[in-house]
Amino acid sequence: MTSADVKQLVWGAILLALAACVPLVANGYWMSIALTIAMFTVLSTSWALFSGPTHYISLATAAFFGVGGFLVGTGMSDYNVDYWTMVVIASLAGTVLAFLVGLATLRLSGVYFVIFTLGLAEMIRTLVSWIQNNFTGSRGLYVLTDLGEVDIYLHLVLVAAFVYLAGWWIARSRLGFAMRIIGNDETVARHVGINTAFSKVILFTFSGFVASLVGALIAPRYTYIEPNGVFSPELSFIVVIMALLGGTGRLWGPIVGVIPFALLQEYINANYSNYSTLVLGIAFLVIVYFLPQGVLGRLEQLWAKRRQSTW
Amino acid sequence: MDILITGLLLGGTYALIAFGLNLQYGVARIMNLANGEMIVLGALAAFWIFIADAISPILTMLIVAPLSFFGNWLIYRFLLRPLVRRAKNQGQLEVDSILATFGMAFALVGVMVSIHGEYFTYSYLAEPFEILGETFALNRIVAFCFAVLIGAALWLWLYFTRAGMAVRAVSVSTEASGLVGINVPQLSAIAFALGGAVTTMGGTLISTFITLDASVGVVFTMKALIIIIMGGVGDIRGAIVAALILGLVETAVARLIDPGLTLAAAYAIFVLILLFRPQGLFGRKPS
Amino acid sequence: MKLTKIFKSAAIGLTASMLAVSAQAADVIKIGAVAPKTGALGGGAVVTQWPNVELWSKQVNAAGGLSVGGKKMMVEIIEYDDKTNPAEHIKAAQRLAEVDKVDFIVAPYGTGFNLAAAPIYAKYNYPHIAVSAISDKMPELTARYSNLFFTLGNTTSFSESVVDILKDMRAAGTIGNRVAMVNVADAFGIELAEAARPRLKEAGFDIVYDKSYPLGTPDLSPIIKGAKESNPDAFVAWSYPPDTFALTEQAIIQNLDVKMYYTAVATCFPAFVGKFGSKINGVFGAGGVNQDSPDIQAYFKAHKDITGKDADGWASANTYVSLQILGQAIEGAGTLDRQAVIDYIKANSFDTIMGPISFEDQISNRFWTVGQWQDGKFRGVKSSQMDGAAPVIAKDGWN
């Protein structure tokens, strides 16, 4: 490990410790915003771990997230299993699913992969509804725990720490090196002897695992789980968009997209509630036109300009 | 037999929603996530005009088509062309167009909700029509006939006119088309506008037999995306075949197995086709 | 740098709104309302919930406001659109409590949203008078949240009433034993079908067609055709608005000849009779209202005059009632202290357009379960302890 590496780890630890202190200063309102930010940060960053380097845009996040939430709901409500056991089971199920879906990355590319993941997520959603209707036949999935927003937030910060550590480690490893080459030119990567199949599947599985873990951890917040709610395709789109806005070039890119976007969304919802959808759409368009490389890209451009001007 | 006809009718509906996106993505290379909202706009127009003046949605469709063509042309010219110009490669353009059209979709939903926040439902040609002893809804049959007309018109235009040939050339390769003297930007704009017009027309037709509301666009966008990918990007025959397959599968499953599995089966077919033919039914293998 | 500009204006905006809020005049009662205006449930909330919030607040303010301990205070509604997104709803609920610092809240729309918001409203001890929340876990929930009240009924009653109607019609010789039942594959439809199945079997009915369909199915003709083929005497659909409309349209086209036809949500909507006219005479739906009650008639008229919209035949009245209860409780307790208002609601009976309403263990047991379209009006025919049930009529073709 070089001294640059050590510096990054220290920085990361400091920021995460700060994040963990947020509950000490935030009231209920800011806590719920912080929780939303934490959730999307984890989802976007783990998404970007795969989709950033490979440029394969996955819209399957909702499928894994939904599996996590749904299994927790059905396990607790129908089978009276306790919460933490269900979190483990749900994450494992999500991982297996992600592995299977990851195998699909070996066949498909480009926009075909994108829409494939979308169709898959929808298929899982309707399948789960059908299973619920015909087999578990549950009377609504109630997740009644004593976990409050602060607890869930801290869980998510822990997962975020894990994701950042994993990302940091991957970037330094042969896997990260392989992913960068794959992203630039997959044919070259294969010719150079990189096991592209293994790399892609492993990373995709990891991001799916994280998504299902998040789904399981967030379930107590909603109290009542409906399949059509937790498998919402909107979630997949928002995760992608936040990551793209922030910039997927760096590990800390997505969070730079999540925070301003979440705050902007909150500002619009609070002040223009009756027109929030319209204003949000316009805000989006403004962002796309003035921040083509995402927030990160713009920051880096300006940083580069600043450097140039000091010569 | 009943399953076949019902399935075809449903497939026709699906084809309607996919034609437009096929043109927009296949030719103009814009992944238009606001596609569903164009459908809902057409539906809103039909609803409004029908409730206010009892004018047939078919007539509304004819009024709405040129308006939509012009509107979509403006959208391409002012909102999307800057993105096309600054994109350094196809992937970049896709990302940008996804983000931009996503924003557009939100904006459109916001506008429509303030116009009419409730369900748009009215009754038009909701009468029985018998074919070979089985009863079907007249409004669906009419919509199917128009889907066939529109599809045929598009196909004829694409395969038997010079302009259509140019459009097909652009969908194969933008660079090569530019090299042989095709005005790619202008054709892309026309393709996008035409795609939008067809989509809105589809929306007015669909509103005669499906109850829509301002927020339901995203469901149609997803369905359209799945159809054009399954059929293979850029080829209109692919979109038609994929739409019909989906319609038939959904209906067959609903009648023979379990209506609860219709959508799951449709997506399963989609997933399977892609796994065995990653470029879609009629798509070109990526070079 | 554009980024800092955005940040700055956001920060200024938020601070300004917070300051503005705290500098509010002290003789206004702030009442928060979060419900969908867009998204999947937007269409329903715009018919049932929002107009009643507007109607009630305008009426109260036109009368000079609520009388709180001798002082007249006007009512100010602070509303947010939750876009049918539970995460968005939770944030908005927190915003109402912490930033806008509202005195009271209007309950959310939809079972899932009432439940997601319940812990938050419980934390701040807002009286939470739920309307559009149907659950069989009400005792457990009220035990957990002592500020939560239920007014619309539970899953069991809704399915039992339908079975009761079937039994009555069978006893009268109008229908036989064959029932076709379908449900939308969403929590609501699944629960009701689950509750209905054993009761139908117990009552000796033969469920000849029993299927579900995914939410958003575009073509429901296979369902109607399948049901028709099973030769049923009665057709029961636990459905949501889009499918309620679609199933009925198909039933008309396919001429599903049953003497008892029931679709669940949105059957009572004005748009339903608007679309189908006289063809849906005799159709049963969830909910109901006493069309002959003078209070209800006055309410309908005021609803149309003030909001420009027609009320629906079910939860519209209930939503208005929940606001009446809130208003009367505030006046009765004579204070804006939430615990006092909660205690008042628990201990007293309220005079509402649906008659006297009171709560037993935070649950109101007076509500309509089934209504029927009779000559262009949706009349309540079965209920839990309501007056004015109309006699049931048989469906006679689709003309």
Side-chain angles (χ1 to χ4, degrees):
Chain A
M1 280 207 313
T2 66
S3 70
D5 289 345
V6 173
K7 241 204 304 198
Q8 283 178 347
L9 279 178
V10 170
W11 262 116
I14 292 177
L15 288 170
L16 279 162
L18 280 176
C21 292
V22 166
L24 297 172
V25 296
N27 64 16
Y29 172 59
W30 287 105
M31 255 336 289
S32 61
I33 295 181
L35 209 162
T36 307
I37 289 180
M39 174 173 112
F40 279 109
T41 302
V42 176
L43 286 173
S44 308
T45 310
S46 66
W47 178 88
L49 280 179
F50 172 77
S51 299
T54 61
H55 301 304
Y56 278 66
I57 294 185
S58 155
L59 287 176
T61 310
F64 308 125
F65 181 86
V67 163
F70 177 76
L71 282 176
V72 166
T74 200
M76 288 182 68
S77 201
D78 297 330
Y79 300 100
N80 280 318
V81 183
D82 73 291
Y83 176 65
W84 288 109
T85 316
M86 279 324 299
V87 169
V88 171
I89 296 179
S91 324
L92 280 173
T95 312
V96 168
L97 182 66
F99 178 72
L100 292 172
V101 176
L103 291 175
T105 66
L106 309 181
R107 293 276 294 167
L108 300 163
S109 60
V111 71
Y112 292 93
F113 178 74
V114 179
I115 307 300
F116 175 81
T117 53
L118 176 66
L120 198 73
E122 286 294 283
M123 181 179 89
I124 292 174
R125 178 172 70 89
T126 49
L127 212 60
V128 167
S129 284
W130 182 77
I131 291 175
Q132 193 193 17
N133 185 76
N134 292 39
F135 298 105
T136 71
S138 47
R139 319 292 222 97
L141 303 180
Y142 293 87
V143 179
L144 296 165
T145 63
D146 290 318
L147 294 170
E149 294 219 306
V150 175
D151 305 304
I152 299 177
Y153 173 76
L154 290 172
H155 296 158
L156 287 174
V157 170
L158 218 64
V159 177
F162 170 63
V163 171
Y164 276 112
L165 204 62
W168 177 87
W169 180 83
I170 289 173
R172 256 144 212 75
S173 70
R174 299 232 315 242
L175 187 58
F177 183 62
M179 298 310 288
R180 280 196 292 280
I181 302 188
I182 291 174
N184 276 325
D185 193 322
E186 196 160 334
T187 331
V188 165
R190 243 177 285 136
H191 282 282
V192 173
I194 292 177
N195 189 346
T196 54
F198 177 75
S199 317
K200 288 195 283 187
V201 174
I202 280 284
L203 266 178
F204 188 81
T205 308
F206 180 72
S207 76
F209 159 69
V210 173
S212 51
L213 180 61
V214 170
L217 289 174
I218 276 267
R221 190 190 197 197
Y222 299 124
T223 315
Y224 183 74
I225 306 286
E226 287 177 294
N228 288 314
V230 292
F231 284 102
S232 153
E234 191 190 320
L235 181 82
S236 300
F237 281 109
I238 299 270
V239 167
V240 170
I241 278 159
M242 288 206 183
L244 290 176
L245 277 181
T248 54
R250 306 245 184 177
L251 186 58
W252 40 276
I255 193 176
V256 178
V258 169
I259 294 183
F261 191 71
L263 289 174
L264 178 66
Q265 203 178 25
E266 188 55 27
Y267 177 70
I268 290 176
N269 285 330
N271 293 305
Y272 300 100
S273 185
N274 283 325
Y275 301 100
S276 59
T277 317
L278 175 60
V279 176
L280 207 62
I282 295 177
F284 231 94
L285 289 169
V286 166
I287 292 175
V288 171
Y289 287 103
F290 295 109
L291 295 175
Q293 312 287 10
V295 175
L296 200 59
R298 178 63 89 186
L299 283 178
E300 289 190 338
Q301 270 178 359
L302 293 156
W303 185 257
K305 272 208 197 121
R306 177 96 63 76
R307 276 235 212 93
Q308 276 179 347
S309 66
T310 61
W311 281 1
Chain B
M1 198 55 213
D2 171 42
I3 295 177
L4 192 63
I5 299 183
T6 311
L8 284 177
L9 289 180
L10 184 60
T13 310
Y14 286 151
L16 274 178
I17 66 178
F19 283 147
L21 188 60
N22 197 44
L23 279 171
Q24 290 177 334
Y25 185 62
V27 181
R29 298 284 197 275
I30 302 287
M31 175 65 79
N32 185 5
L33 290 186
N35 188 62
E37 274 65 41
M38 285 297 157
I39 291 178
V40 180
L41 268 175
L44 181 57
F47 171 73
W48 216 4
I49 295 181
F50 185 81
I51 295 289
D53 289 311
I55 291 182
S56 153
I58 310 291
L59 215 59
T60 310
M61 181 176 79
L62 297 173
I63 302 171
V64 141
L67 285 174
S68 173
F69 184 90
F70 187 59
N72 276 286
W73 189 82
L74 285 175
I75 289 176
Y76 184 83
R77 183 77 180 67
F78 292 107
L79 280 180
L80 296 169
R81 180 117 87 204
L83 295 178
V84 176
R85 267 199 225 131
R86 81 172 182 207
K88 287 183 222 83
N89 58 34
Q90 170 67 7
Q92 177 77 29
L93 175 62
E94 261 174 33
V95 166
D96 277 347
S97 59
I98 285 176
L99 293 176
T101 53
F102 191 74
M104 239 167 62
F106 264 79
L108 285 171
V109 171
V111 167
M112 286 192 288
V113 161
S114 44
I115 295 177
H116 187 89
E118 304 170 33
Y119 289 102
F120 325 147
T121 179
Y122 59 92
S123 209
Y124 180 71
L125 294 184
E127 289 139 42
F129 187 82
E130 280 213 16
I131 299 178
L132 301 174
E134 294 282 350
T135 324
F136 303 96
L138 188 58
N139 44 27
R140 281 185 193 254
I141 294 176
V142 168
F144 179 77
C145 293
F146 274 100
V148 167
L149 275 172
I150 295 174
L154 277 176
W155 186 71
L156 285 172
W157 184 70
L158 283 172
Y159 284 88
F160 290 93
T161 67
R162 270 190 86 92
M165 189 166 67
V167 165
R168 272 186 298 131
V170 173
S171 80
V172 172
S173 162
T174 40
E175 294 95 21
S177 317
L179 286 175
V180 298
I182 293 177
N183 187 343
V184 174
Q186 196 184 64
L187 266 173
S188 299
I190 291 180
F192 188 85
L194 187 61
V198 170
T199 308
T200 317
M201 280 164 67
T204 58
L205 286 171
I206 288 177
S207 69
T208 59
F209 55 88
I210 294 185
T211 303
L212 300 169
D213 74 335
S215 307
V216 83
V218 66
V219 172
F220 286 103
T221 305
M222 292 198 313
K223 220 43 188 288
L225 284 171
I226 285 172
I227 292 172
I228 63 167
I229 293 298
M230 186 165 125
V233 176
D235 197 325
I236 193 136
R237 297 167 299 176
I240 296 176
V241 171
L244 289 175
I245 292 179
L246 277 180
L248 285 165
V249 164
E250 278 187 30
T251 310
V253 167
R255 293 287 265 140
L256 301 171
I257 307 178
D258 187 335
L261 285 171
T262 49
L263 294 185
Y267 294 126
I269 296 282
F270 165 75
V271 161
L272 282 170
I273 287 184
L274 271 191
L275 285 177
F276 286 106
R277 234 185 114 75
Q279 71 272 38
L281 290 169
F282 284 72
R284 258 166 235 100
K285 267 207 153 74
S287 49
Chain C
M1 217 160 103
K2 285 222 164 64
L3 196 58
T4 35
K5 270 213 186 115
I6 295 177
F7 262 130
K8 265 195 203 153
S9 49
I12 291 175
L14 275 166
T15 323
S17 51
M18 282 162 73
L19 283 175
V21 158
S22 54
Q24 271 287 352
D27 58 352
V28 166
I29 308 176
K30 285 187 291 189
I31 304 188
V34 192
K37 294 192 184 192
T38 54
L41 291 181
V46 161
V47 170
T48 306
Q49 175 121 340
W50 289 114
N52 284 292
V53 173
E54 186 190 341
L55 173 65
W56 180 78
S57 57
K58 284 194 175 150
Q59 283 180 331
V60 163
N61 286 342
L66 290 175
S67 170
V68 184
K71 182 165 107 164
K72 277 278 203 182
M73 295 177 76
M74 302 282 263
V75 144
E76 183 194 331
I77 306 282
I78 299 179
E79 33 182 83
Y80 292 119
D81 172 11
D82 66 17
K83 309 202 192 79
T84 318
N85 184 334
E88 193 51 51
H89 186 100
I90 289 176
K91 273 194 284 172
Q94 291 277 19
R95 202 185 304 136
L96 283 176
E98 299 267 1
V99 179
D100 301 307
K101 297 206 193 319
V102 295
D103 300 299
F104 297 97
I105 50 105
V106 176
Y109 179 80
T111 309
F113 290 87
N114 272 289
L115 290 171
I120 300 175
Y121 294 142
K123 187 166 81 169
Y124 298 98
N125 210 24
Y126 285 111
H128 181 173
I129 309 172
V131 177
S132 49
I134 298 183
S135 161
D136 266 354
K137 282 215 179 186
M138 295 197 300
E140 197 179 319
L141 291 164
T142 50
R144 216 171 226 267
Y145 305 117
S146 63
N147 63 319
L148 179 58
F149 300 87
F150 286 97
T151 58
L152 205 63
N154 58 12
T155 321
T156 315
S157 328
F158 277 88
S159 50
E160 259 175 8
S161 290
V162 171
V163 177
D164 284 341
I165 289 184
L166 288 168
K167 285 197 283 195
D168 293 341
M169 288 177 89
R170 180 178 57 182
T174 322
I175 60 169
N177 266 337
R178 304 173 67 85
V179 176
M181 183 172 82
V182 301
N183 67 288
V184 66
D186 194 54
F188 169 82
I190 298 175
E191 284 190 36
L192 282 165
E194 264 286 298
R197 232 170 257 124
R199 291 184 168 82
L200 284 169
K201 293 212 177 97
E202 223 181 279
F205 285 102
D206 209 0
I207 307 181
V208 294
Y209 186 77
D210 184 1
K211 299 283 179 199
S212 73
Y213 53 88
L215 187 63
T217 307
D219 186 8
L220 289 166
S221 66
I223 295 251
I224 295 288
K225 287 188 185 176
K228 190 173 171 186
E229 263 165 27
S230 68
N231 207 11
D233 298 308
F235 179 84
V236 172
W238 306 108
S239 56
Y240 268 158
D243 12 301
T244 297
F245 287 106
L247 282 169
T248 310
E249 179 170 300
Q250 286 304 318
I252 294 173
I253 289 173
Q254 305 285 341
N255 198 21
L256 179 67
D257 191 15
V258 288
K259 297 274 184 279
M260 192 277 187
Y261 177 92
Y262 171 96
T263 42
V265 184
T267 314
C268 61
F269 278 15
F272 190 77
V273 70
K275 175 167 172 143
F276 296 116
S278 63
K279 296 187 178 161
I280 46 97
N281 198 41
V283 164
F284 291 96
V289 72
N290 183 357
Q291 296 274 357
D292 297 325
S293 142
D295 287 337
I296 293 282
Q297 285 170 353
Y299 162 69
F300 279 162
K301 183 164 187 314
H303 193 286
K304 184 72 190 235
D305 289 341
I306 294 185
T307 71
K309 299 188 167 132
D310 289 307
D312 74 19
W314 181 20
S316 278
N318 271 91
T319 309
Y320 186 79
V321 163
S322 73
L323 292 169
Q324 280 188 305
I325 292 177
L326 182 65
Q328 288 177 24
I330 294 173
E331 290 190 320
T335 163
L336 296 183
D337 175 63
R338 294 174 209 150
Q339 187 57 50
V341 174
I342 292 173
D343 293 333
Y344 189 89
I345 298 176
K346 286 182 182 170
N348 288 279
S349 168
F350 297 89
D351 183 24
T352 72
I353 58 172
M354 282 173 65
I357 301 272
S358 62
F359 294 92
E360 258 171 64
D361 295 324
Q362 294 158 241
I363 300 176
S364 157
N365 290 310
R366 297 194 63 229
F367 48 87
W368 287 103
T369 50
V370 182
Q372 187 181 37
W373 282 103
Q374 299 179 351
D375 297 319
K377 287 202 196 291
F378 191 73
R379 294 181 181 277
V381 295
K382 264 276 186 263
S383 74
S384 163
Q385 303 175 25
M386 293 295 295
D387 303 317
V392 157
I393 65 177
K395 183 107 194 59
D396 187 20
W398 298 93
N399 323 315

